[in-house]
Amino acid sequence: GKKTETNDDPNNEEDNNKPQEPMKLPAIGSIWNNTCVMAIKNITSTSAELLLMSINEWQGLSPEDAYISASSYIVSNITGWRIPTITDVTELSSNRQKIGISLLNSTLKEAGGDAISANAYYLCWNNEIYKKFRFSGTITDIGNTKQFRLRLIKNYIWNKDS
């Protein structure tokens, strides 16, 4: 019969025997599985550790609400999200500068997420004490602030063959 563009001919086994292409390591600043890749560490030939950030953010949360949001958040079957630590904030801030602030924000928005606000305070965590930070890298005590924005993060082991 005539070969179709979509290869939906059940008798055509041409493509079924090809070895599958290995998955490519996602780039910093790219969208991967509805998350944003903010850092890549410990790269080997078969795996790497990704620092993923939620493409969406929450606004007006108390620290308690933020904790609950983190513990129940699931995206693309990825669980175990958390509130950033001060170490994470330093990395997020540094890589945000390297990626480019406007490029990162347009990437987040194109993926259906929220742009990062330059002036808003986000919640972070240090030795069991909540702090607030701006993506510029400023970290301070919570003070009288009662409500925060939240971006969740996740350390994820990416494997080439998965």
Side-chain angles (χ1 to χ4, degrees):
K2 190 176 160 196
K3 210 171 175 186
T4 59
E5 285 292 321
T6 56
N7 246 349
D8 54 5
D9 178 356
N11 300 321
N12 181 2
E13 294 182 28
E14 196 177 296
D15 289 339
N16 298 346
N17 299 326
K18 281 186 191 163
Q20 212 161 0
E21 283 288 310
M23 294 205 23
K24 276 183 134 166
L25 181 64
I28 293 176
S30 70
I31 300 299
W32 180 78
N33 280 351
N34 298 311
T35 70
C36 185
V37 178
M38 290 300 289
I40 303 173
K41 296 184 211 159
N42 305 322
I43 300 172
T44 69
S45 60
T46 57
S47 69
E49 184 182 330
L50 308 180
L51 179 62
L52 304 177
M53 180 182 73
S54 60
I55 63 170
N56 296 105
E57 67 179 39
W58 294 257
Q59 295 185 25
L61 294 185
S62 68
E64 295 76 24
D65 292 337
Y67 179 81
I68 292 165
S69 295
S71 61
S72 61
Y73 186 65
I74 300 173
V75 63
S76 300
N77 291 324
I78 300 170
T79 59
W81 292 81
R82 61 186 174 79
I83 297 168
T85 64
I86 285 183
T87 306
D88 298 321
V89 168
T90 304
E91 194 164 29
L92 291 171
S93 172
S94 164
N95 286 347
R96 176 177 168 257
Q97 299 294 333
K98 289 178 195 161
I99 294 162
I101 296 164
S102 59
L103 176 61
L104 180 60
N105 277 343
S106 59
T107 300
L108 289 167
K109 287 194 280 195
E110 282 169 23
D114 304 306
I116 293 169
S117 169
N119 297 319
Y121 278 113
Y122 290 82
L123 194 65
C124 67
W125 177 251
N126 185 46
N127 297 327
E128 301 188 18
I129 298 169
Y130 287 106
K131 301 269 192 181
K132 62 185 179 184
F133 76 95
R134 288 191 168 127
F135 268 88
S136 60
T138 310
I139 302 169
T140 59
D141 289 330
I142 284 179
N144 294 328
T145 310
K146 301 272 187 276
Q147 295 188 322
F148 304 89
R149 291 187 185 208
L150 176 65
R151 284 281 174 167
L152 295 175
I153 61 164
K154 162 84 179 167
N155 295 84
Y156 183 88
I157 303 300
W158 173 89
N159 289 299
K160 187 176 182 177
D161 300 325
S162 62

